[in-house]
Amino acid sequence: MIFETLGPIDYHESGTGSTMVLVPGSCSTGAAWRPVMAQWQNEFRCVTTSLLGYGGTAERRTEGHADIAQESEIIESVIRRAGGPVHLVGHSFGGLAALAVALRQRVPLLSLTIAEAPAMEILRAAGEMQNYEAFRNMSDAYSAAFKRGETNAIARMIDFYGGNGTFAAWPQRVRDYAIETTRANLLDWESAYGFHLTAALLASIDVPTLVVWGEASRPAVGRANDLLGRGIPGAIRATIAGAAHFMIATHPKPFADLVSRHVGESSLELAAAAR
């Protein structure tokens, strides 16, 4: 655990080798990475954390004052504690926060992996309003349902990503945690909509980047991540066959293989550049 004035931040590490900082998405903790980490069999030093309002990481945001920079700050604290430079890997909202870290350039990164980021603002910037509205319609209906007192309002968001029935199929303890952290998740969406991504911003990233999405993901999600990959100079874009949004749980091996290959290639590029 990292203790700061604004509250604690989850921190856990295991394994040896090159350092991976693994950032989970909403409604989860660093434990979400266990299936992927198991594939690496201690090949890497894996550092995990939780985003604001999840696990042991204290919430710092309030409604109307939720900025992606607040997520960046806690990830930067984790990277400094890890003793960077590091390979930064983020899934879902964690992927969007990892992108913000790369744009801020306040900590040293060896590589960046973004998986299934809710980067809907890049859709709006590109004028792809049909895909943008897919996100907006879901999040507006979800927020309204929660304000009406609908206990399972977050199921709307989960099923948007995983398909109808995804939330109902989850184990009870997982559903309970998602419901418990709904307020934090709504702040995540506020942060995401306030993160005004543009082609010019993406063009400023000079870290070797991999952008991943699922072959079976919702088209709006896939397109947003495709645009991220196209906008970041030299980024590698990859899809995982048969996977949707929750790929780090359902398809950990192909995901782990992609990241491992990306990290290896990034290390070779850096070594060549240093000669």
Side-chain angles (χ1 to χ4, degrees), residues 15-30:
T16 58
S18 298
T19 302
M20 297 268 207
V21 170
L22 306 172
V23 186
S26 303
C27 308
S28 61
T29 67

Side-chain angles (χ1 to χ4, degrees), residues 9-81:
I9 302 168
D10 270 347
Y11 182 96
H12 183 267
E13 65 174 75
S14 62
T16 58
S18 298
T19 302
M20 297 268 207
V21 170
L22 306 172
V23 186
S26 303
C27 308
S28 61
T29 67
W33 289 103
R34 287 174 184 164
V36 174
M37 291 165 61
Q39 299 297 321
W40 288 327
Q41 299 181 346
N42 292 320
E43 178 184 354
F44 301 106
R45 175 183 175 231
C46 293
V47 174
T48 59
T49 189
S50 306
L51 293 174
L52 292 169
Y54 304 106
T57 301
E59 184 60 84
R60 303 181 180 185
R61 306 164 297 175
T62 57
E63 187 176 354
H65 299 280
D67 193 296
I68 196 73
Q70 293 164 293
E71 298 288 4
S72 299
E73 288 166 359
I74 66 163
I75 298 170
E76 288 161 1
S77 291
V78 169
I79 292 170
R80 292 186 187 104
R81 170 73 173 272

Side-chain angles (χ1 to χ4, degrees), residues 183-207:
R183 290 186 185 277
N185 181 247
L186 289 169
L187 292 174
D188 295 345
W189 284 99
E190 181 181 330
S191 298
Y193 282 113
F195 188 13
H196 299 302
L197 290 166
T198 63
L201 268 179
L202 295 178
S204 71
I205 295 176
D206 63 356
V207 178

Side-chain angles (χ1 to χ4, degrees), residues 90-168:
H91 173 249
S92 191
F93 186 58
L96 195 68
L99 172 62
V101 169
L103 285 167
R104 282 160 59 95
Q105 299 181 357
R106 298 188 183 185
V107 289
L109 302 181
L110 295 171
S111 74
L112 172 67
T113 297
I114 300 166
E116 290 271 321
M120 52 276 190
E121 286 301 308
I122 196 64
L123 293 167
R124 186 166 68 156
E128 299 197 13
M129 298 310 295
Q130 183 175 350
N131 282 324
Y132 175 80
E133 290 298 334
F135 278 103
R136 180 59 82 174
N137 292 339
M138 177 278 294
S139 60
D140 285 352
Y142 161 36
S143 177
F146 180 72
K147 290 176 180 176
R148 288 195 307 269
E150 186 177 303
T151 303
N152 289 354
I154 201 164
R156 296 168 180 261
M157 186 273 292
I158 301 300
D159 287 1
F160 170 82
Y161 277 121
N164 291 338
T166 298
F167 182 79

Side-chain angles (χ1 to χ4, degrees), residues 116 158-164 166 212-223 238-247 250-251:
E116 290 271 321
I158 301 300
D159 287 1
F160 170 82
Y161 277 121
N164 291 338
T166 298
V212 185
W213 63 96
E215 184 183 62
S217 292
R218 184 173 287 269
V221 178
R223 181 57 177 158
T239 58
I240 294 180
H245 185 72
F246 301 104
M247 58 175 59
T250 62
H251 292 69

